[in-house]
Amino acid sequence: MPTSQTEKEFALYIVELMQSIGPVHHKRMFGGYGLFLEGLMFGIIADNTLYLKADNETENEFKDKGLEPFTYEKKGKPVSLSYFQAPEETLEDYDEMNIWANKAYATALRTAQNKAVLAKK
């Protein structure tokens, strides 16, 4: 499914906002975009909405703000991923984006480290 010009522009805007945490880049995938830093995906853009990676350490921060998880349909059933809608203020404030993008990237690092530990067992 091709993305719209609006979604392309939104993705570029988000990547620009996130440059304070490092050389973030986006990659087309699943009808939207994945957001990457140092080879780790820590964000998703779908339907002009930013979703950030969450885990047991950060999930409640998203839930406490009433933010929704990223979901899609697979074989007619909803599937949720460990990504939650970013707080609205992150889209308008570099400092807020820095805080939340760093949380999501830290989550991606923990996830990668946990997978590496499990692979060694």
Side-chain angles (χ1 to χ4, degrees), residues 85-106:
Q85 186 175 1
E88 191 69 30
E89 59 269 19
T90 62
L91 305 178
E92 302 162 1
D93 184 309
Y94 280 100
D95 293 332
E96 285 296 316
M97 179 61 83
N98 182 287
I99 291 166
W100 285 88
N102 270 308
K103 287 180 190 185
Y105 182 65

PDB file of all heavy atoms in Angstrom, residues 85-106:
ATOM      1  N   GLN A  85       0.954   4.793  21.047  1.00  0.00           N
ATOM      2  CA  GLN A  85       0.836   6.126  20.467  1.00  0.00           C
ATOM      3  C   GLN A  85       1.657   7.102  21.305  1.00  0.00           C
ATOM      4  O   GLN A  85       1.641   7.044  22.539  1.00  0.00           O
ATOM      5  CB  GLN A  85      -0.622   6.549  20.453  1.00  0.00           C
ATOM      6  CG  GLN A  85      -0.869   7.843  19.758  1.00  0.00           C
ATOM      7  CD  GLN A  85      -2.357   8.149  19.669  1.00  0.00           C
ATOM      8  OE1 GLN A  85      -3.204   7.404  20.153  1.00  0.00           O
ATOM      9  NE2 GLN A  85      -2.681   9.265  19.060  1.00  0.00           N
ATOM     10  N   ALA A  86       2.404   7.965  20.627  1.00  0.00           N
ATOM     11  CA  ALA A  86       3.216   8.962  21.321  1.00  0.00           C
ATOM     12  C   ALA A  86       2.324  10.052  21.900  1.00  0.00           C
ATOM     13  O   ALA A  86       1.308  10.400  21.300  1.00  0.00           O
ATOM     14  CB  ALA A  86       4.229   9.573  20.354  1.00  0.00           C
ATOM     15  N   PRO A  87       2.710  10.597  23.049  1.00  0.00           N
ATOM     16  CA  PRO A  87       1.943  11.723  23.593  1.00  0.00           C
ATOM     17  C   PRO A  87       1.913  12.891  22.605  1.00  0.00           C
ATOM     18  O   PRO A  87       2.895  13.154  21.904  1.00  0.00           O
ATOM     19  CB  PRO A  87       2.726  12.105  24.851  1.00  0.00           C
ATOM     20  CG  PRO A  87       3.504  10.887  25.214  1.00  0.00           C
ATOM     21  CD  PRO A  87       3.826  10.217  23.910  1.00  0.00           C
ATOM     22  N   GLU A  88       0.807  13.576  22.561  1.00  0.00           N
ATOM     23  CA  GLU A  88       0.609  14.685  21.624  1.00  0.00           C
ATOM     24  C   GLU A  88       1.702  15.744  21.736  1.00  0.00           C
ATOM     25  O   GLU A  88       2.158  16.296  20.743  1.00  0.00           O
ATOM     26  CB  GLU A  88      -0.773  15.311  21.854  1.00  0.00           C
ATOM     27  CG  GLU A  88      -1.195  16.286  20.796  1.00  0.00           C
ATOM     28  CD  GLU A  88      -1.490  15.630  19.450  1.00  0.00           C
ATOM     29  OE1 GLU A  88      -1.918  14.463  19.419  1.00  0.00           O
ATOM     30  OE2 GLU A  88      -1.280  16.293  18.421  1.00  0.00           O
ATOM     31  N   GLU A  89       2.143  16.009  22.977  1.00  0.00           N
ATOM     32  CA  GLU A  89       3.139  17.060  23.177  1.00  0.00           C
ATOM     33  C   GLU A  89       4.484  16.749  22.504  1.00  0.00           C
ATOM     34  O   GLU A  89       5.262  17.653  22.212  1.00  0.00           O
ATOM     35  CB  GLU A  89       3.338  17.373  24.668  1.00  0.00           C
ATOM     36  CG  GLU A  89       3.778  16.211  25.516  1.00  0.00           C
ATOM     37  CD  GLU A  89       2.635  15.404  26.144  1.00  0.00           C
ATOM     38  OE1 GLU A  89       1.485  15.492  25.661  1.00  0.00           O
ATOM     39  OE2 GLU A  89       2.914  14.687  27.107  1.00  0.00           O
ATOM     40  N   THR A  90       4.759  15.487  22.221  1.00  0.00           N
ATOM     41  CA  THR A  90       6.026  15.140  21.561  1.00  0.00           C
ATOM     42  C   THR A  90       6.063  15.677  20.131  1.00  0.00           C
ATOM     43  O   THR A  90       7.138  15.908  19.592  1.00  0.00           O
ATOM     44  CB  THR A  90       6.265  13.618  21.515  1.00  0.00           C
ATOM     45  OG1 THR A  90       5.231  12.998  20.750  1.00  0.00           O
ATOM     46  CG2 THR A  90       6.334  13.024  22.902  1.00  0.00           C
ATOM     47  N   LEU A  91       4.906  15.868  19.536  1.00  0.00           N
ATOM     48  CA  LEU A  91       4.837  16.332  18.152  1.00  0.00           C
ATOM     49  C   LEU A  91       5.069  17.830  18.025  1.00  0.00           C
ATOM     50  O   LEU A  91       5.234  18.335  16.915  1.00  0.00           O
ATOM     51  CB  LEU A  91       3.488  15.962  17.548  1.00  0.00           C
ATOM     52  CG  LEU A  91       3.119  14.484  17.617  1.00  0.00           C
ATOM     53  CD1 LEU A  91       1.738  14.262  17.016  1.00  0.00           C
ATOM     54  CD2 LEU A  91       4.154  13.621  16.948  1.00  0.00           C
ATOM     55  N   GLU A  92       5.080  18.529  19.150  1.00  0.00           N
ATOM     56  CA  GLU A  92       5.185  19.985  19.122  1.00  0.00           C
ATOM     57  C   GLU A  92       6.372  20.536  19.902  1.00  0.00           C
ATOM     58  O   GLU A  92       6.621  21.729  19.875  1.00  0.00           O
ATOM     59  CB  GLU A  92       3.897  20.583  19.709  1.00  0.00           C
ATOM     60  CG  GLU A  92       2.657  20.148  18.958  1.00  0.00           C
ATOM     61  CD  GLU A  92       1.383  20.365  19.756  1.00  0.00           C
ATOM     62  OE1 GLU A  92       1.452  20.878  20.891  1.00  0.00           O
ATOM     63  OE2 GLU A  92       0.319  20.013  19.234  1.00  0.00           O
ATOM     64  N   ASP A  93       7.093  19.675  20.606  1.00  0.00           N
ATOM     65  CA  ASP A  93       8.125  20.144  21.518  1.00  0.00           C
ATOM     66  C   ASP A  93       9.361  19.257  21.409  1.00  0.00           C
ATOM     67  O   ASP A  93       9.291  18.062  21.701  1.00  0.00           O
ATOM     68  CB  ASP A  93       7.552  20.126  22.939  1.00  0.00           C
ATOM     69  CG  ASP A  93       8.473  20.682  23.978  1.00  0.00           C
ATOM     70  OD1 ASP A  93       9.646  20.261  24.050  1.00  0.00           O
ATOM     71  OD2 ASP A  93       8.014  21.538  24.769  1.00  0.00           O
ATOM     72  N   TYR A  94      10.487  19.840  21.000  1.00  0.00           N
ATOM     73  CA  TYR A  94      11.729  19.070  20.842  1.00  0.00           C
ATOM     74  C   TYR A  94      12.140  18.383  22.148  1.00  0.00           C
ATOM     75  O   TYR A  94      12.592  17.235  22.130  1.00  0.00           O
ATOM     76  CB  TYR A  94      12.879  19.979  20.384  1.00  0.00           C
ATOM     77  CG  TYR A  94      12.864  20.288  18.914  1.00  0.00           C
ATOM     78  CD1 TYR A  94      12.361  21.498  18.451  1.00  0.00           C
ATOM     79  CD2 TYR A  94      13.372  19.385  17.982  1.00  0.00           C
ATOM     80  CE1 TYR A  94      12.346  21.788  17.097  1.00  0.00           C
ATOM     81  CE2 TYR A  94      13.362  19.670  16.630  1.00  0.00           C
ATOM     82  CZ  TYR A  94      12.848  20.881  16.197  1.00  0.00           C
ATOM     83  OH  TYR A  94      12.840  21.154  14.855  1.00  0.00           O
ATOM     84  N   ASP A  95      11.990  19.084  23.277  1.00  0.00           N
ATOM     85  CA  ASP A  95      12.395  18.508  24.557  1.00  0.00           C
ATOM     86  C   ASP A  95      11.546  17.289  24.914  1.00  0.00           C
ATOM     87  O   ASP A  95      12.069  16.272  25.382  1.00  0.00           O
ATOM     88  CB  ASP A  95      12.325  19.550  25.678  1.00  0.00           C
ATOM     89  CG  ASP A  95      13.349  20.660  25.505  1.00  0.00           C
ATOM     90  OD1 ASP A  95      14.418  20.413  24.894  1.00  0.00           O
ATOM     91  OD2 ASP A  95      13.081  21.789  25.964  1.00  0.00           O
ATOM     92  N   GLU A  96      10.231  17.397  24.708  1.00  0.00           N
ATOM     93  CA  GLU A  96       9.347  16.257  24.978  1.00  0.00           C
ATOM     94  C   GLU A  96       9.662  15.097  24.028  1.00  0.00           C
ATOM     95  O   GLU A  96       9.675  13.937  24.450  1.00  0.00           O
ATOM     96  CB  GLU A  96       7.878  16.659  24.853  1.00  0.00           C
ATOM     97  CG  GLU A  96       7.372  17.471  26.011  1.00  0.00           C
ATOM     98  CD  GLU A  96       7.383  16.712  27.331  1.00  0.00           C
ATOM     99  OE1 GLU A  96       6.984  15.536  27.362  1.00  0.00           O
ATOM    100  OE2 GLU A  96       7.800  17.313  28.341  1.00  0.00           O
ATOM    101  N   MET A  97       9.913  15.404  22.762  1.00  0.00           N
ATOM    102  CA  MET A  97      10.269  14.346  21.816  1.00  0.00           C
ATOM    103  C   MET A  97      11.565  13.674  22.247  1.00  0.00           C
ATOM    104  O   MET A  97      11.675  12.457  22.206  1.00  0.00           O
ATOM    105  CB  MET A  97      10.406  14.895  20.394  1.00  0.00           C
ATOM    106  CG  MET A  97      10.789  13.827  19.378  1.00  0.00           C
ATOM    107  SD  MET A  97       9.580  12.481  19.237  1.00  0.00           S
ATOM    108  CE  MET A  97       8.415  13.251  18.119  1.00  0.00           C
ATOM    109  N   ASN A  98      12.523  14.462  22.704  1.00  0.00           N
ATOM    110  CA  ASN A  98      13.791  13.911  23.160  1.00  0.00           C
ATOM    111  C   ASN A  98      13.561  12.917  24.306  1.00  0.00           C
ATOM    112  O   ASN A  98      14.107  11.812  24.290  1.00  0.00           O
ATOM    113  CB  ASN A  98      14.724  15.043  23.593  1.00  0.00           C
ATOM    114  CG  ASN A  98      16.071  14.535  24.027  1.00  0.00           C
ATOM    115  OD1 ASN A  98      16.200  13.952  25.102  1.00  0.00           O
ATOM    116  ND2 ASN A  98      17.075  14.767  23.212  1.00  0.00           N
ATOM    117  N   ILE A  99      12.753  13.295  25.266  1.00  0.00           N
ATOM    118  CA  ILE A  99      12.475  12.433  26.422  1.00  0.00           C
ATOM    119  C   ILE A  99      11.826  11.125  25.980  1.00  0.00           C
ATOM    120  O   ILE A  99      12.283  10.031  26.331  1.00  0.00           O
ATOM    121  CB  ILE A  99      11.568  13.166  27.434  1.00  0.00           C
ATOM    122  CG1 ILE A  99      12.333  14.312  28.083  1.00  0.00           C
ATOM    123  CG2 ILE A  99      11.016  12.197  28.476  1.00  0.00           C
ATOM    124  CD1 ILE A  99      11.454  15.313  28.831  1.00  0.00           C
ATOM    125  N   TRP A 100      10.757  11.214  25.201  1.00  0.00           N
ATOM    126  CA  TRP A 100       9.999  10.026  24.827  1.00  0.00           C
ATOM    127  C   TRP A 100      10.732   9.165  23.798  1.00  0.00           C
ATOM    128  O   TRP A 100      10.668   7.931  23.851  1.00  0.00           O
ATOM    129  CB  TRP A 100       8.607  10.423  24.338  1.00  0.00           C
ATOM    130  CG  TRP A 100       7.741  10.818  25.492  1.00  0.00           C
ATOM    131  CD1 TRP A 100       7.624  12.060  26.042  1.00  0.00           C
ATOM    132  CD2 TRP A 100       6.916   9.959  26.277  1.00  0.00           C
ATOM    133  NE1 TRP A 100       6.770  12.018  27.120  1.00  0.00           N
ATOM    134  CE2 TRP A 100       6.315  10.741  27.274  1.00  0.00           C
ATOM    135  CE3 TRP A 100       6.620   8.602  26.222  1.00  0.00           C
ATOM    136  CZ2 TRP A 100       5.437  10.218  28.218  1.00  0.00           C
ATOM    137  CZ3 TRP A 100       5.731   8.079  27.151  1.00  0.00           C
ATOM    138  CH2 TRP A 100       5.156   8.882  28.141  1.00  0.00           C
ATOM    139  N   ALA A 101      11.441   9.787  22.871  1.00  0.00           N
ATOM    140  CA  ALA A 101      12.214   9.016  21.895  1.00  0.00           C
ATOM    141  C   ALA A 101      13.349   8.276  22.593  1.00  0.00           C
ATOM    142  O   ALA A 101      13.642   7.121  22.263  1.00  0.00           O
ATOM    143  CB  ALA A 101      12.755   9.929  20.794  1.00  0.00           C
ATOM    144  N   ASN A 102      13.981   8.905  23.580  1.00  0.00           N
ATOM    145  CA  ASN A 102      15.025   8.224  24.349  1.00  0.00           C
ATOM    146  C   ASN A 102      14.466   7.035  25.125  1.00  0.00           C
ATOM    147  O   ASN A 102      15.110   5.992  25.214  1.00  0.00           O
ATOM    148  CB  ASN A 102      15.737   9.199  25.295  1.00  0.00           C
ATOM    149  CG  ASN A 102      16.926   9.843  24.642  1.00  0.00           C
ATOM    150  OD1 ASN A 102      17.793   9.166  24.094  1.00  0.00           O
ATOM    151  ND2 ASN A 102      16.985  11.160  24.691  1.00  0.00           N
ATOM    152  N   LYS A 103      13.265   7.189  25.685  1.00  0.00           N
ATOM    153  CA  LYS A 103      12.629   6.067  26.386  1.00  0.00           C
ATOM    154  C   LYS A 103      12.396   4.906  25.423  1.00  0.00           C
ATOM    155  O   LYS A 103      12.641   3.746  25.756  1.00  0.00           O
ATOM    156  CB  LYS A 103      11.282   6.491  26.984  1.00  0.00           C
ATOM    157  CG  LYS A 103      11.377   7.376  28.180  1.00  0.00           C
ATOM    158  CD  LYS A 103       9.983   7.743  28.682  1.00  0.00           C
ATOM    159  CE  LYS A 103      10.055   8.815  29.725  1.00  0.00           C
ATOM    160  NZ  LYS A 103       8.745   9.105  30.319  1.00  0.00           N
ATOM    161  N   ALA A 104      11.897   5.227  24.231  1.00  0.00           N
ATOM    162  CA  ALA A 104      11.608   4.176  23.246  1.00  0.00           C
ATOM    163  C   ALA A 104      12.894   3.511  22.772  1.00  0.00           C
ATOM    164  O   ALA A 104      12.941   2.284  22.614  1.00  0.00           O
ATOM    165  CB  ALA A 104      10.842   4.770  22.065  1.00  0.00           C
ATOM    166  N   TYR A 105      13.937   4.291  22.547  1.00  0.00           N
ATOM    167  CA  TYR A 105      15.210   3.716  22.113  1.00  0.00           C
ATOM    168  C   TYR A 105      15.818   2.860  23.232  1.00  0.00           C
ATOM    169  O   TYR A 105      16.336   1.772  22.973  1.00  0.00           O
ATOM    170  CB  TYR A 105      16.186   4.809  21.671  1.00  0.00           C
ATOM    171  CG  TYR A 105      17.480   4.232  21.175  1.00  0.00           C
ATOM    172  CD1 TYR A 105      17.515   3.444  20.026  1.00  0.00           C
ATOM    173  CD2 TYR A 105      18.667   4.432  21.859  1.00  0.00           C
ATOM    174  CE1 TYR A 105      18.696   2.881  19.581  1.00  0.00           C
ATOM    175  CE2 TYR A 105      19.852   3.880  21.420  1.00  0.00           C
ATOM    176  CZ  TYR A 105      19.866   3.099  20.279  1.00  0.00           C
ATOM    177  OH  TYR A 105      21.034   2.538  19.844  1.00  0.00           O
ATOM    178  N   ALA A 106      15.730   3.319  24.476  1.00  0.00           N
ATOM    179  CA  ALA A 106      16.216   2.520  25.609  1.00  0.00           C
ATOM    180  C   ALA A 106      15.465   1.188  25.680  1.00  0.00           C
ATOM    181  O   ALA A 106      16.050   0.144  25.974  1.00  0.00           O
ATOM    182  CB  ALA A 106      16.071   3.298  26.914  1.00  0.00           C
TER     183      ALA A 106
END
